Amino acid sequence: MKKQAPAERIKNFKEVAFGMSQEEALKEASRCLVCKDARCSAKCPVEIDIPRFINAIKNKEFDDAIKTIKEKNNLPGVCGRVCPQEDRCEGACILNKKGNPINIGALERFAADWGLKNASRVTRHASRTKGTKVAVIGSGPAGLTCAGDIAKLGYIVTVFEALHAEGGVLVYGIPEFRLPKNIVKKEVEYLESLGVVFKGNFIVGKTITLKELFEQGYKAVFIGTGAGLPNFMNISGENLNRVYSSNELLTRVNLMKAYLFPEYDTPINIGKKIAVVGGGNTAMDSARVCLRLGAEKVYIVYRRSEKEMPARKEEIENTKEEGIEFMTLALPKKILGDGKGFVKGVECIKMELGEPDSSGRRRPIPVPCSEFILDADTVIMAVGQSPNPVFLRATPELKTGKWDKIEIDNETQSTNIQGVYAGGDATSGDDTVIAAMGSGKRAARAIDNYLKNRL
Ligand code: FAD
Ligand code: SF4
């Protein structure tokens, strides 16, 4: 897929990847073998009939292509951009044997973008036949998927969202240059066309309780409150000015439009030399955002090697292309102040890799007496997130486990409370968009079964 040149794109927040032209999409689709028992589809958590939609592109039947995708996936424009296809459908494609799998993500994006431009031809309005009310808490990919599937089944769905914009991490976390907010907005509008009602600025657990939702006539509830509580390292100096969690940085840039200051009067104060701690998508996004905000030097500080980084390969490549320096096998020990309350540097220690730990990745071990000082005036902590606590604190009867993750039955997503289901990062910890969507889909199916048996 063609991209903006690195030297150009670091000066703007426009989308980096351009997407396939029709000619490119037809050429790529023509390589697909349209396998009968397609391995790609078997790996898709939302069960898209991949050979069927690729075949439709091959035949220039683009409305059939997007309709096929939308039978299963309510957010194709999002998935075509941020889904880790290399670990899912593309990773399973039979053409991997020849070293050149089909670029399924780019084809999905092509079909989705075609659908957005030709919306009237593909929008399907659901008929509300069942008249039963279902509540969804949180409008991230888990909540949006569950809401869309439940609406398609004919239920009356209301999504309660704490923030003023719908999409969860898709709007407050992933930057504009990877996922334009207009795409998320359009996909939310598609859900509205299915009859889903969104109530923003509505914190369940504060504005209303779970018990009150049932009292208001909701017969089932899906919890998709995500993992938006940033983790810190608990090292000295984390309270200095210009130490941010990646969540704060990204929310202020994406949702509060800090990058559009002074058009929006909500700027963010970062320095010129930035240390971003972490190796996931969040770290890459934070580093690239800082560069675009005008930083002169940005480091990714990661305690393992590049091979162990959890970020998408494509995003690691993009980050490197943009000139961000990877300082791997290094762990911050303390953040140093300048005596006036601001960051002056980071004391780090070098690491080496030992035996694999429970995550399967090799355990990082400090190298004795290898401390060094990294010159930095801003530190961004991108070391993971935990489940959002507000709803959980207000709902002590809901069973949670390790790291406050909501406990569920893995097949049905049901919690310990009757009629209450949960999914996405609130149950798994920080994971992926498509995993969250898969759980929303399973929950929708289970909620339908539950309600059918009760009504
Ligand atoms: P979320 O997206 O977190 O949404 C939860 C929603 O619930 C939020 O809108 C929140 O405001 C709302 N909420 C919380 N509490 C309440 C309450 N009490 N009442 C009402 N609403 C509430 N994954 C990928 O697959 N590819 C990527 O490239 C990728 N990049 C990422 C980049 C960043 C910066 C981050 C942070 C994550 C990234 N991820 C990526 C991970 C992915 O975005 C998440 O796994 C996914 O969004 C989880 O979806 P969710 O619906 O469970 O939760
Ligand atoms: Fe096409 Fe590959 Fe899927 Fe076969 S496995 S249908 S070749 S994308």
Side-chain angles (χ1 to χ4, degrees):
M1 219 191 287
K2 290 194 186 85
K3 295 191 280 190
Q4 278 195 69
E8 199 46 48
R9 70 186 192 231
I10 60 171
K11 295 184 216 144
N12 66 63
F13 274 78
K14 290 190 201 130
E15 192 167 15
V16 166
F18 291 131
M20 280 181 170
S21 65
Q22 182 168 315
E23 201 189 346
E24 287 164 338
L26 290 173
K27 198 169 160 206
E28 185 63 1
S30 72
R31 293 201 304 120
C32 175
L33 307 177
V34 193
C35 308
K36 225 169 170 205
D37 289 315
R39 298 176 181 195
C40 52
S41 286
K43 273 281 200 171
C44 175
V46 293
E47 305 156 11
I48 297 174
D49 189 338
I50 294 171
R52 181 147 70 93
F53 101 73
I54 296 183
N55 200 38
I57 294 181
K58 212 188 248 186
N59 297 329
K60 292 195 184 173
E61 291 160 348
F62 304 131
D63 47 350
D64 275 358
I66 186 60
K67 275 182 189 154
T68 301
I69 297 173
K70 281 197 165 181
E71 278 171 14
K72 300 287 182 175
N73 183 347
N74 300 322
L75 310 169
V78 169
C79 290
R81 286 170 169 81
V82 303
C83 191
Q85 289 97 359
E86 60 277 13
D87 300 330
R88 301 276 183 176
C89 51
E90 283 174 23
C93 172
I94 192 141
L95 293 176
N96 274 296
K97 283 188 183 158
K98 296 197 169 163
N100 200 5
I102 300 290
N103 192 340
I104 302 169
L107 289 175
E108 184 178 22
R109 173 179 166 169
F110 170 80
D113 289 356
W114 187 92
L116 289 178
K117 280 193 207 112
N118 300 276
S120 57
R121 290 174 66 180
V122 288
T123 301
R124 209 185 57 186
H125 296 269
S127 55
R128 295 218 200 119
T129 49
K130 300 204 168 91
T132 304
K133 292 203 305 179
V134 177
V136 170
I137 310 173
S139 68
L144 292 178
T145 301
C146 185
D149 280 17
I150 285 279
K152 283 177 185 165
L153 289 165
Y155 294 97
I156 297 172
V157 189
T158 307
V159 178
F160 298 93
E161 168 54 53
L163 298 173
H164 61 271
E166 294 86 21
V169 171
L170 308 178
V171 285
Y172 80 74
I174 305 180
E176 179 77 17
F177 55 80
R178 278 215 295 133
L179 177 60
K181 301 311 143 213
N182 194 36
I183 299 288
V184 183
K185 192 165 164 262
K186 293 265 185 223
E187 307 217 299
V188 168
E189 281 168 12
Y190 166 70
L191 292 173
E192 284 174 329
S193 80
L194 295 175
V196 177
V197 173
F198 290 92
K199 288 199 177 177
N201 296 314
F202 205 111
I203 306 177
V204 181
K206 293 261 187 222
T207 323
I208 198 168
T209 62
L210 180 66
K211 192 165 161 266
E212 285 164 346
L213 280 176
F214 281 107
E215 282 165 7
Q216 289 196 2
Y218 291 94
K219 300 289 181 210
V221 175
F222 175 77
I223 308 164
T225 46
L229 180 69
N231 296 342
F232 281 88
M233 293 182 70
N234 295 323
I235 56 175
S236 129
E238 275 183 321
N239 57 344
L240 287 165
N241 288 313
R242 292 209 190 125
V243 178
Y244 294 97
S245 69
S246 54
N247 274 47
E248 179 179 352
L249 170 84
L250 295 171
T251 304
R252 288 175 63 169
V253 171
N254 293 322
L255 207 57
M256 309 301 292
K257 308 280 180 221
Y259 70 99
L260 294 178
F261 176 78
E263 191 189 325
Y264 283 75
D265 54 2
T266 40
I268 185 162
N269 176 358
I270 63 158
K272 292 290 173 198
K273 291 179 193 159
I274 323 281
V276 177
V277 185
N281 288 318
T282 314
M284 303 302 141
D285 284 344
S286 301
R288 297 172 73 195
V289 156
C290 288
L291 203 61
R292 283 161 175 78
L293 288 175
E296 285 164 7
K297 184 78 201 167
V298 185
Y299 300 95
I300 291 272
V301 183
Y302 182 57
R303 62 194 180 133
R304 293 180 157 104
S305 77
E306 191 181 316
K307 197 166 152 243
E308 285 81 26
M309 280 185 170
R312 290 187 68 196
K313 224 175 169 181
E314 186 184 326
E315 300 312 334
I316 293 176
E317 273 164 27
N318 282 331
T319 307
K320 281 179 152 179
E321 275 176 13
E322 291 175 8
I324 287 156
E325 192 173 320
F326 280 39
M327 191 167 280
T328 52
L329 292 170
L331 179 75
K333 278 182 77 180
K334 64 167 96 144
I335 302 172
L336 310 170
D338 65 354
K340 295 177 199 147
F342 284 82
V343 173
K344 191 179 85 175
V346 186
E347 184 184 316
C348 301
I349 184 161
K350 289 187 180 160
M351 310 292 276
E352 59 190 3
L353 294 178
E355 292 301 308
D357 62 15
S358 57
S359 73
R361 294 175 301 171
R362 291 177 67 193
R363 187 190 301 275
I365 304 164
V367 177
C369 305
S370 65
E371 283 85 355
F372 65 98
I373 307 283
L374 179 66
D375 186 18
D377 56 17
T378 305
V379 177
I380 314 291
M381 288 293 177
V383 290
Q385 283 107 233
S386 304
N388 276 319
V390 175
F391 176 75
L392 302 181
R393 281 194 198 127
T395 322
E397 65 274 27
L398 184 68
K399 202 165 168 205
T400 54
K402 203 175 171 194
W403 314 117
D404 274 349
K405 292 187 254 185
I406 301 171
E407 288 200 351
I408 44 146
D409 174 287
N410 286 330
E411 266 173 42
T412 62
Q413 304 292 133
S414 58
T415 68
N416 64 310
I417 305 175
Q418 200 187 20
V420 178
Y421 297 74
D425 285 2
T427 58
S428 60
D430 42 358
D431 201 333
T432 59
V433 169
I434 197 69
M437 291 175 68
S439 71
K441 186 168 273 299
R442 280 192 298 280
R445 210 171 274 154
I447 289 172
D448 184 39
N449 284 336
Y450 166 74
L451 292 175
K452 272 197 301 216
N453 289 333
R454 272 174 60 97
L455 298 173

